[in-house]
Amino acid sequence: MKTSTRVVVIGGGVVGASVLYHLTKLGWSDVMLLERSELTSGSTWHAAGGFHTLNGDTNMAALQGYTIGLYKELEEITGMSCGLHHVGGLTLADNQDRFDMLLAERAKHRYMGLETEIFGPEEIKTFAPIINTDGLIGALYDPLDGHLDPSGTTHAYAKAARLGGADIVTHTMVKETTQRLDGTWDVVTDKGTIHTEHVVNAAGLWAREVGAMAGVYLPLHPMEHQYIVTDDIADIYSRDTEHPHVMDPAGESYLRQEGRGLCIGFYEQPCRPWAVKGTPWSFGHELLPDDFDKIEDSIAFAYKRFPVLETAGVKSVIHGPFTFAPDGNPLVGPIPGLRGYWSACGVMAGFSQGGGVGLMLAQWMVHGECERDTSAMDVARFGDWVSPGYTLPKVIENYQTRFSVSYPNEELPAARPNRTTPMYDIYDKMGAVWGQQNGLEVVNYFATGDEPRFETPSFRRSNAFAATAREVHAVRNAVGINETHNFGKYVVTGADARNWLDRIMAGRIPNPGRLSLSPMLAPSGRIIGDFTVSCLSETEFRLTASYGAQSYHMRWFLQHLDGDVQIENISDRVTGFQIAGPHARDVLAACTHDDLAEIRFMDLRKMVVGMTECLVQRVSYTGDLGYEIFCDPMAQRQLWQTLWDAGSAFGMKPFGMRAMMSLRLDKHFGSWGRDYSPDYTPAETGLDRFIAWKKPAEFIGRTAAEAERDTPPDRMLVAFEVDAEDTDVNAYEPVWIDGKVQGFCTSGGYSHHLNKSIALALIPRKLYKDNLKVQIELLGKMRNSTLIQEIPFDADGARMRG
């Protein structure tokens, strides 16, 4: 066994083998995989082996498509069989909400190039005669769905990696992972120690234990999962073609052909977590005892949907553990704050996602960034606040809702409330309907009177519509107030702070007492942050951005830190409020002795508001006259009382995130993670207007950004007014121009101030013109839409700057 290598991958399941192969594919041949037993030990060997492209996140769906397409390539490279069965698959819908979800997914697939179709009950019966279609509205058909041989596929990855120069060492158990002072690692095994630059934790069921060796907590938990293989069924083995896959969300089941019978698995409600106190090192190719009691109801439902099962004998039962993250997506990427340590864990759907995970992680390691936005699976999406006590109930919830309808406005209840501010009880008594962001409770809107304290999940306009309208009108006509707790906030200090920020940020770094808006770019020129930069002095700056991206952003900052610069994440150490609307200045003037006439738009000042020392910034995401007022959390309740008492004379109302996201549409402001993300560039989204082209600093991404400035990209972000009924754009709906899909929506919603449905979308630059007529597909219906060239609210900025 070698004693040094560039990369050590720990874990010989399908994910570890995929990472190893993709590293060699990208040119790193000095790589090694360690497996304590045989390849496929753990979850891989007993997986059902199904694969599909359906995923609520479009990037995850695209990576699943990549994974499926990769299998034939592996067979060609290695001469080995992956046991591929491309039989196609149906996802059934027995109510309107499920059917709406399938319509929304079908619409996304149009611009992704996935050839899925919507089937009615008669087509379902023709395609899969064993299905009882009573009560079914329709189904989504995906021709790429299928299944494979888990063992053969894993060994094909392994052989392809070996052909690329990789070493694979089995029956070698990792005992310790210790980081040296220079950032490299010693991986201590029962066969000796290996010195390496990079460690990849792809340990599957043992990922928690392997992570703990490096002082890392990974929010993962195994769940027991059971599927059944039947004896021969005449309706199956007498077919001319193999039976397609069927996912039946109502029955929480998936079904496919296995030999001359069927395989059916369940995501049952009375589910059970496994190995709560840790995965035993002795566990390997064992299975768990059969447990028909917990799937009794699921089986009864399956008999009704697939009547042939009722008389079929049971050939075998596979009952084993699979590992899940709290939201069901993988945990992939560099661990924040730990050089050279990478995660490739929590890949529950290994044969749908393993190839894409391997590709993304290899790109990250070799090139420093991935070709697409990986936020849905980035290990940094969970901050340092996450704990085993949070992970377990969320994993159980995710398992139970795996086949549930996923609504764009849904707020799942498990492990909540978790993190709250001093305003929680005050807002709760005022009728707050809560959402969460990065574990933090955030007000979505306020219910009044007899309105329910729960937003109905829906693909259409929900029961939050009227409440959101009230709050929007209060902001636009008087003054509104909401918290600033869900902003990511950072303080940058040191003699080299300005020079460092000039390199990190693409925009202008402001002078003392001023703010600026700046994109932050990757070397490729893609957007990895959308920041407000505040200059308190030449050696002290504040940064404000998305709260949910703080671990991602801190990881980037620390990776690029140099000189006399210190940076701290103060997201939860600073809170406060924003007030916005035509009377915002009147309210603030009633609470301070400072002369507000001296505070221009994009100014900042330290001032006493009531009894509280605050940092006040003259800016507002609502696009209205407004102020962001930051304070110590210990003083927040006093600051609230001061502002609330003063605001009563001016009609002040509290508002939540639903209103905020409506208000920003009036100004066509983009939203992080939707309109601005690592999938897009400044020139595509319009953020290039904030790039400081004349500054001498060689900011990260400058070369790529300048290339796009000189040769504009093919697409651009625009706004449309949509002739909608009861459904507004959420994201990724296709834009039809001249009878074909030529763009897609990035976000949208209803502007309660304009009384219009608005969509932001990327379309071909060459087609841009005022009043361009297009159609946007919403839940299977074509909605006439018109491009809006001029900003419809406060177009000249007089009110915002006034």
Side-chain angles (χ1 to χ4, degrees), residues 33-269:
L33 183 147
L34 300 178
E35 166 53 45
R36 68 181 183 87
S37 182
E38 296 283 355
L39 294 182
T40 77
S41 298
S43 297
T44 296
W45 79 270
H46 62 72
F51 53 78
H52 59 272
T53 59
L54 185 64
N55 191 295
D57 181 273
T58 54
N59 278 308
M60 290 302 300
L63 290 175
Q64 289 173 200
Y66 166 80
T67 300
I68 295 168
L70 178 64
Y71 293 134
K72 289 185 178 179
E73 178 182 325
L74 285 176
E75 290 182 330
E76 292 172 359
I77 292 172
T78 65
M80 299 177 66
S81 172
C82 293
L84 292 176
H85 297 255
H86 277 288
V87 296
L90 296 171
T91 300
L92 308 179
D94 68 335
N95 61 42
Q96 190 59 49
D97 281 357
R98 285 199 173 96
F99 193 59
D100 283 349
M101 183 180 78
L102 298 184
L103 290 172
E105 291 303 310
R106 171 67 186 104
K108 293 177 187 178
H109 295 163
R110 290 192 196 279
Y111 84 86
M112 294 173 65
L114 298 174
E115 299 299 325
T116 55
E117 299 178 48
I118 294 294
F119 281 5
E122 291 185 3
E123 291 171 294
I124 295 171
K125 195 69 176 177
T126 300
F127 193 64
I130 69 167
I131 297 176
N132 175 8
T133 58
D134 290 350
L136 293 180
I137 297 176
L140 180 73
Y141 169 66
D142 186 343
L144 290 180
D145 279 14
H147 59 277
L148 47 65
D149 170 22
S151 178
T153 299
T154 305
H155 282 279
Y157 274 121
K159 182 175 180 180
R162 286 191 180 102
L163 291 172
D167 286 324
I168 296 176
V169 181
T170 59
H171 299 286
T172 301
M173 184 172 178
V174 174
K175 297 287 191 178
E176 299 175 26
T177 55
T178 305
Q179 193 168 34
R180 296 185 180 183
L181 292 177
D182 64 358
T184 61
W185 292 84
D186 286 327
V187 179
V188 181
T189 78
D190 58 356
K191 304 270 180 71
T193 298
I194 305 159
H195 179 228
T196 185
E197 184 180 350
H198 301 278
V199 173
V200 178
N201 183 343
L205 288 173
W206 296 269
R208 294 174 298 172
E209 288 71 29
V210 170
M213 295 176 185
V216 173
Y217 172 66
L218 292 165
L220 299 166
H221 202 92
M223 296 291 293
E224 298 180 3
H225 183 67
Q226 197 165 208
Y227 64 89
I228 296 169
V229 178
T230 73
D231 285 330
D232 294 359
I233 299 174
D235 287 337
I236 298 301
Y237 66 71
S238 62
R239 285 173 56 91
D240 294 331
T241 58
E242 188 171 351
H243 196 278
H245 280 214
V246 182
M247 285 198 289
D248 183 17
E252 302 163 339
S253 71
Y254 58 88
L255 174 144
R256 66 168 176 84
Q257 184 169 339
E258 175 68 19
R260 290 162 60 88
L262 289 169
C263 165
I264 183 167
F266 305 99
Y267 284 88
E268 69 285 354
Q269 292 302 301

Side-chain angles (χ1 to χ4, degrees), residues 7-23:
V7 181
V8 169
V9 178
I10 302 173
V14 64
V15 175
S18 172
V19 171
L20 195 72
Y21 162 65
H22 281 95
L23 286 170

Side-chain angles (χ1 to χ4, degrees), residues 525-527 675-688 708 712-718 761-763 765:
R526 292 184 296 158
I527 305 164
D675 314 291
Y676 309 142
S677 86
D679 281 332
Y680 313 132
T681 68
E684 290 175 328
T685 59
L687 285 183
D688 54 345
E708 281 206 323
D714 292 336
R715 60 186 184 180
M716 64 185 297
L717 187 68
V718 298
L762 284 164
I763 66 166
R765 187 177 297 270

